[in-house]
Amino acid sequence: AAFFAFAMAGVLCESDSGLAAAEELAEALGLDTADGVREDRRDKYRMNVAMEAAGLATVRQRLCGSAREAADFCAELGVAADGGGETCVVKPYRGVASGDVFLARSPEEAARAAEKILGTALFGSPTGERVTEVLVQEFARGTEYAVDVVSRDGRHKAAALWRYDKRPANGAPFVYHATVLDDASAGDGRAAANYAAAALNALGVRWG
């Protein structure tokens, strides 16, 4: 009973798998801090579509329902059969961190990655859904950042900026070697923080 003596300000989610439930609960409670329920905040393909529509730079991508489709789009992205030149990324359209994320150096590698992903459990699904399509994207070269953001009524504040050091190791393409706190006030750090804020706006995130 003591719990209900306090006004509820919002619903926070500790992990990616609970994002949908947190959004739905905030809406059901009628909270002023509710941001609606949007699948494109969890679906990586739809997320890129929303950001592209908002004028943000995004990678080329396609949802592929078979290993053959994945290989064909990989080739369209300029990935050569001999493994030279460009690379592409094959991953589930819903997921977290580097789970089931593959770097394909040839269309054949893209096909093998798709075969491994298709039919696996869909991350965050409460009903036991299976992956029926894989997401194939061009590989974005450069430094990877993670931005910790606090948002209040559409105003976004970068609380911390982390620079990832990811390299191949033990047969895996993306292994965390270090995470370094970086400067978000200038240069590439400022650009990364600004992009994160624009992405939140594109996805309708105003609180959190």
Side-chain angles (χ1 to χ4, degrees), residues 163-178:
R163 185 177 74 252
Y164 286 165
D165 177 9
K166 284 184 183 179
R167 286 172 272 153
N170 303 320
F174 307 110
V175 176
Y176 290 87
H177 287 255

Side-chain angles (χ1 to χ4, degrees), residues 96-188:
V96 62
S98 299
D100 281 339
V101 178
F102 296 89
L103 183 65
R105 297 174 178 83
S106 69
E108 182 182 356
E109 286 190 6
R112 288 200 298 266
E115 289 173 346
K116 290 180 180 178
I117 299 170
L118 289 168
T120 60
L122 181 63
F123 179 84
S125 171
T127 59
E129 293 175 85
R130 295 283 166 175
V131 175
T132 58
E133 293 178 304
V134 296
L135 178 57
V136 180
Q137 296 177 322
E138 65 176 324
F139 179 62
R141 298 183 184 277
T143 304
E144 182 179 354
Y145 292 96
V147 188
D148 293 339
V149 180
V150 177
S151 301
R152 183 181 187 277
D153 199 16
R155 297 181 62 185
H156 309 297
K157 176 72 173 181
L161 177 73
W162 303 93
R163 185 177 74 252
Y164 286 165
D165 177 9
K166 284 184 183 179
R167 286 172 272 153
N170 303 320
F174 307 110
V175 176
Y176 290 87
H177 287 255
T179 304
V180 182
L181 190 63
D182 212 337
D183 183 6
S185 64
D188 290 343

